[in-house]
Amino acid sequence: MSTHNLEDMGCGTSSVKDMRSEQVLKAALVIQNWYRGYSTRLKARQRYALTVFQSIEYADEQGQLQLSNFFSFMLENYAHIHEKDPEIAARLFGSTLQDYKDRQDYVAFVDVPNSYNGPRLQFPLTFTDIDLLVDAFKQQQILHARYVLEVLFETKKVLKQMPNFTHVKTSPSKEITICGDLHGKLDDLLLIFYKNGLPSGSNSYIFNGDFVDRGRNSIEILMILFVSFLVYPNDLHLNRGNHEDFMMNLRYGFTKEILCKYKIHGKQILQILEDVYTWLPIGTIIDNEILVIHGGISESTDLNLLHRVERHKMKSVLMPPTPLDGDPDTNVKKKKFNATILPREVKTSASHSEQLTKHEWEQVIDILWSDPRGKKGCYPNTSRGGGCYFGPDITSKVLNRYQLKMLIRSHECKPEGYEICHDGKVITIFSASNYYEEGSNRGAYIKLSSGMAPRFFQYQVTRTTCLRPLYQRVNAIESSAIRILRERIIARKTDLIHAFQLQDRSKSGKLSMSQWAFCMENTLGLNLPWRSLSSRLVTTDTNGDVNYMSSFQDIHIQKPVKEAQSTLIETLYRYRSDLQIIFNVIDSDHSGLISVEEFRSMWKLFNSHYNIHIDDFQIDELAERMDLNKDGSIDFNEFLKAFHVVHKLDKLNKSGSGLA
């Protein structure tokens, strides 16, 4: 064979190989582009789901803040409140009653039986007690009420000696770890300690508020943090969050957790906790450069004033000061707390000197409730209803005013556990992973030392999520978000149908996508991307028009009283959390019972204040039906629990499991 032929054969082989390589490369690029698009779509779905979770969370907080206005109104109008229970007025608006100021006597009457096999603490506490608690809580043991009370008393005693802002120093050889919201998620705290070590003289921590609520193990987290604080008071630092507040605990679960785990002594524990919260510091300053607070700042944030304010007078961030005639602070501009319009005068058993001034109260509200945004300026935090949104210009202005370099805050769930904004001057740190749903977000903590850039450590408590592919995790998160959104929708069914029908002038039962989205946002006020969510909420025809009654398909509110009108049922369901808090405040002995007359009086006030159009005769009839054994008392917790949403899918699943 000639050389020429050999060359031809060689060229031919090379050409085939090149063609195959080119085809493989094209296929790889097609697959890569497809996967990128697929991954982008999945992330968009996850982002929308997190937006739903967060919008509903903030709407709930806004409703909680609005309760403060109602309690002012209640105290002014509830004629029998002082005769029936003067403690209510003091609890809401004043300092703790004298009977509860010194509760050390409680401990003497709480015995630890020999049969108790949980952890036994030895006072004064040492590092071995931290180990003991951690090991016991890993095994789901409950700390005896006597030890809980003793820890709370000791914690309060030490906290009372501390300033409003703790000043700490680091060095290249001594770092400090900053953790954000934990919200009762014990597994996250244990994972942090596993990765980063227990608190000690050489391993300092700052826990930046919101230790409690939402999760199932708030008391365990508090006990670990308080015991660690008592052992290492100079190395473990605690900041108050907006959930270190007895009024927030009534809505978001911690009160219920305490009363469930400590059926005999739960009331005493809750009373003492109310005091402990008020003595928690409101911030930490690291190396005179970094401000660590739970929420944020406003254009009027005055750190000098906040250093001086008598923080223990802030009983609840939801209870604004009650202005007296002639109070100079009554004219302070009400720009931060949108829901609050106070009565001219509310007479309580607490003296005016036992309250913060309106201006001081607003200052504390700002640092506990505010959120950063990209837009310049300072404007009301309409999502939460309290505090403000602050832009990068406000951050620079406040930091420069006090010669600070950075603000570290928490308060907001972030998908990656942390977020940096405002040109690196604001860091959000959030330490509760799987906050909304399993797989919804990672948790994180920060390590800092003098002269070094912050280092971020991420994690996620995993059980089954690590075994499931991404699309299954996104499906689970999205389904959960749509579920709670549909519950919001059904709670406003009557209002939404009215809004739809106003737009549907031809009475076709259909609206354009724009009209439907407008009605949803205008009625629910959740600031959601309704067009993007529509495929999971409604059906459309071939022209893209929405069959608006499909907004309520496969879901309804269970009626505990069949004869009750739909409007009343929806109203009770929508406001059930608010009503439960109000009734729990009235029920000062935690019996779970209020009189029929109290129920009628409180509902009529609620009806009037919230401008709800429910006839009195419907409420009277409802009260009669709620008094099941006709003894004049209502078990309101059980009754309100009966108002729940039934999803068709749930019924199908139950039916299927029954057949299996």
Side-chain angles (χ1 to χ4, degrees):
M1 187 178 290
S2 69
T3 305
H4 178 74
N5 288 336
L6 285 172
E7 287 175 353
D8 286 345
M9 289 177 64
C11 289
T13 304
S14 176
S15 177
V16 170
K17 286 182 178 179
D18 288 345
M19 286 177 64
R20 286 177 179 172
S21 297
E22 188 176 343
Q23 288 174 342
V24 169
L25 182 60
K26 284 182 178 179
L29 288 172
V30 169
I31 293 171
Q32 185 183 61
N33 288 334
W34 172 86
Y35 182 76
R36 283 177 177 170
Y38 172 72
S39 180
T40 300
R41 288 191 295 274
L42 279 180
K43 288 178 180 177
R45 286 171 55 195
Q46 184 176 26
R47 187 168 64 252
Y48 287 143
L50 292 178
T51 300
V52 171
F53 281 124
Q54 196 167 65
S55 294
I56 291 176
E57 176 191 4
Y58 291 174
D60 282 341
E61 289 183 343
Q62 186 177 95
Q64 177 76 351
L65 287 165
Q66 288 171 346
L67 273 179
S68 67
N69 191 8
F70 173 75
F71 282 123
S72 295
F73 178 81
M74 179 189 83
L75 197 62
E76 188 179 45
N77 290 277
Y78 189 17
H80 306 295
I81 194 167
H82 295 291
E83 301 167 18
K84 175 76 173 64
D85 193 349
E87 183 183 329
I88 296 174
R91 186 181 186 195
L92 290 177
F93 296 98
S95 299
T96 312
L97 292 181
Q98 184 65 40
D99 291 347
Y100 300 136
K101 281 188 177 177
D102 183 6
R103 303 174 189 166
Q104 189 64 46
D105 292 341
Y106 282 171
V107 177
F109 297 104
V110 183
D111 294 323
V112 182
N114 293 331
S115 59
Y116 171 70
N117 57 6
R120 293 176 181 266
L121 303 181
Q122 299 290 327
F123 292 84
L125 298 165
T126 66
F127 68 91
T128 58
D129 292 294
I130 304 175
D131 281 327
L132 188 68
L133 272 188
V134 169
D135 290 340
F137 293 155
K138 282 180 181 177
Q139 299 171 41
Q140 300 182 346
Q141 293 180 341
I142 301 293
L143 183 63
H144 194 276
R146 180 188 178 95
Y147 299 124
V148 173
L149 291 167
E150 286 188 309
V151 169
L152 292 177
F153 284 130
E154 289 299 312
T155 301
K156 179 183 172 183
K157 185 167 70 175
V158 178
L159 286 175
K160 288 177 72 172
Q161 309 304 313
M162 297 187 64
N164 292 349
F165 287 83
T166 310
H167 289 254
V168 300
K169 292 284 187 182
T170 67
S171 67
S173 61
K174 185 177 182 180
E175 292 184 307
I176 193 164
T177 301
I178 305 170
C179 300
D181 300 36
L182 286 166
H183 279 302
K185 290 183 169 287
L186 179 62
D187 287 344
D188 286 296
L189 179 62
L190 297 179
L191 184 57
I192 291 169
F193 287 160
Y194 174 78
K195 293 168 69 73
N196 196 59
L198 288 170
S200 69
S202 58
N203 192 23
S204 298
Y205 279 90
I206 298 171
F207 287 91
N208 198 28
D210 281 13
F211 321 126
V212 300
D213 280 333
R214 303 188 188 278
R216 295 180 298 175
N217 298 106
S218 293
I219 190 62
E220 287 80 10
I221 286 178
L222 271 190
M223 287 298 101
I224 290 174
L225 295 183
F226 286 168
V227 168
S228 300
F229 167 71
L230 292 172
V231 176
Y232 301 108
N234 297 318
D235 299 287
L236 188 133
H237 311 283
L238 302 170
N239 291 341
R240 186 176 185 178
N242 64 308
H243 278 263
E244 279 65 64
D245 185 305
F246 81 95
M247 290 290 291
M248 295 293 283
N249 298 163
L250 282 167
R251 182 188 290 263
Y252 293 105
F254 187 34
T255 297
K256 184 177 179 180
E257 178 188 331
I258 293 291
L259 294 175
C260 180
K261 291 178 179 177
Y262 298 97
K263 292 180 171 61
I264 298 174
H265 302 289
K267 179 183 175 183
Q268 292 94 319
I269 291 171
L270 288 171
Q271 288 169 340
I272 298 165
L273 263 172
E274 287 182 28
D275 278 351
V276 173
Y277 286 158
T278 67
W279 288 105
L280 285 167
I282 54 178
T284 305
I285 297 177
I286 304 171
D287 298 325
N288 293 320
E289 292 183 343
I290 301 172
L291 175 65
V292 185
I293 51 179
H294 179 72
I297 54 178
S298 76
E299 60 187 349
S300 60
T301 292
D302 185 343
L303 291 184
N304 294 324
L305 173 63
L306 287 166
H307 271 79
R308 300 191 307 269
V309 73
E310 296 178 85
R311 68 181 186 275
H312 65 281
K313 292 182 179 180
M314 179 69 99
K315 185 92 175 151
S316 168
V317 296
L318 302 178
M319 292 294 102
T322 54
L324 302 176
D325 288 343
D327 181 359
D329 275 323
T330 56
N331 293 321
V332 174
K333 187 179 180 182
K334 297 189 285 292
K335 60 181 179 357
K336 304 295 189 314
F337 200 72
N338 312 319
T340 303
I341 305 169
L342 295 169
R344 290 182 181 177
E345 180 175 358
V346 179
K347 296 177 181 178
T348 73
S349 58
S351 71
H352 191 54
S353 62
E354 292 175 333
Q355 304 181 69
L356 295 180
T357 67
K358 182 71 163 30
H359 181 57
E360 290 171 335
W361 176 81
E362 285 181 338
Q363 288 279 313
V364 179
I365 285 289
D366 281 342
I367 66 169
L368 293 182
W369 280 88
S370 297
D371 296 308
R373 288 295 181 267
K375 178 183 173 183
K376 287 185 176 182
C378 183
Y379 42 102
N381 192 329
T382 51
S383 295
R384 296 187 190 267
C388 70
Y389 293 129
F390 61 99
D393 55 326
I394 302 300
T395 295
S396 296
K397 177 182 173 182
V398 173
L399 292 181
N400 291 339
R401 185 188 301 157
Y402 298 102
Q403 293 82 53
L404 298 167
K405 294 182 178 178
M406 184 183 293
L407 167 64
I408 296 178
R409 43 90 63 180
S410 302
H411 197 43
E412 286 185 288
C413 176
K414 298 298 178 183
E416 296 302 317
Y418 73 95
E419 185 176 84
I420 304 171
C421 64
H422 292 188
D423 301 318
K425 294 178 181 178
V426 173
I427 296 175
T428 297
I429 189 72
F430 196 86
S431 299
S433 67
N434 308 306
Y435 178 59
Y436 294 118
E437 181 69 28
E438 183 112 3
S440 64
N441 66 284
R442 303 171 81 178
Y445 57 88
I446 306 172
K447 292 184 78 71
L448 281 173
S449 63
S450 180
M452 302 292 288
R455 294 188 293 146
F456 299 92
F457 296 81
Q458 297 167 289
Y459 55 85
Q460 191 158 21
V461 173
T462 55
R463 290 185 178 86
T464 59
T465 51
C466 58
L467 305 175
R468 295 158 61 191
L470 177 62
Y471 79 91
Q472 288 187 0
R473 282 179 274 160
V474 171
N475 283 343
I477 296 166
E478 187 179 53
S479 296
S480 181
I482 294 299
R483 180 188 180 90
I484 63 170
L485 180 55
R486 287 171 64 79
E487 290 176 5
R488 283 284 170 143
I489 292 169
I490 198 67
R492 300 297 298 273
K493 181 177 179 179
T494 301
D495 295 334
L496 282 168
I497 290 175
H498 179 67
F500 294 151
Q501 290 175 343
L502 285 176
Q503 295 287 325
D504 180 21
R505 294 175 182 173
S506 64
K507 303 187 185 307
S508 65
K510 297 179 181 180
L511 295 175
S512 69
M513 184 63 71
S514 297
Q515 289 174 314
W516 175 81
F518 171 80
C519 292
M520 296 297 285
E521 184 56 38
N522 201 42
T523 304
L524 299 177
L526 293 173
N527 194 27
L528 288 174
W530 293 106
R531 289 170 176 271
S532 301
L533 296 168
S534 62
S535 62
R536 298 297 304 271
L537 297 172
V538 289
T539 60
T540 56
D541 63 15
T542 54
N543 296 321
D545 291 332
V546 176
N547 300 302
Y548 56 75
M549 290 305 292
S550 66
S551 304
F552 317 110
Q553 62 189 356
D554 302 335
I555 185 171
H556 70 272
I557 301 172
Q558 184 68 38
K559 286 187 178 183
V561 180
K562 291 183 180 178
E563 296 82 359
Q565 295 182 16
S566 295
T567 305
L568 175 59
I569 295 299
E570 288 172 23
T571 302
L572 284 168
Y573 177 76
R574 188 159 75 247
Y575 290 107
R576 69 197 186 284
S577 295
D578 295 337
L579 291 168
Q580 195 159 17
I581 292 168
I582 292 165
F583 293 143
N584 269 300
V585 168
I586 297 172
D587 175 34
S588 56
D589 64 353
H590 298 291
S591 67
L593 301 172
I594 60 171
S595 71
V596 171
E597 189 54 41
E598 282 177 319
F599 174 82
R600 285 184 177 129
S601 299
M602 290 307 305
W603 175 259
K604 287 174 183 178
L605 280 176
F606 191 84
N607 198 7
S608 170
H609 187 69
Y610 278 74
N611 198 26
I612 297 168
H613 303 292
I614 302 294
D615 294 333
D616 287 349
F617 79 87
Q618 290 188 58
I619 298 303
D620 292 340
E621 185 180 359
L622 188 64
E624 292 291 337
R625 293 183 180 278
M626 288 169 68
D627 183 11
L628 300 177
N629 57 4
K630 305 305 177 186
D631 65 350
S633 296
I634 294 171
D635 185 338
F636 60 87
N637 284 312
E638 286 303 313
F639 179 77
L640 291 172
K641 202 183 297 179
F643 289 87
H644 63 278
V645 167
V646 176
H647 296 259
K648 185 177 180 181
L649 183 61
D650 292 344
K651 297 175 80 172
L652 290 173
N653 286 342
K654 287 180 182 177
S655 175
S657 61
L659 290 170

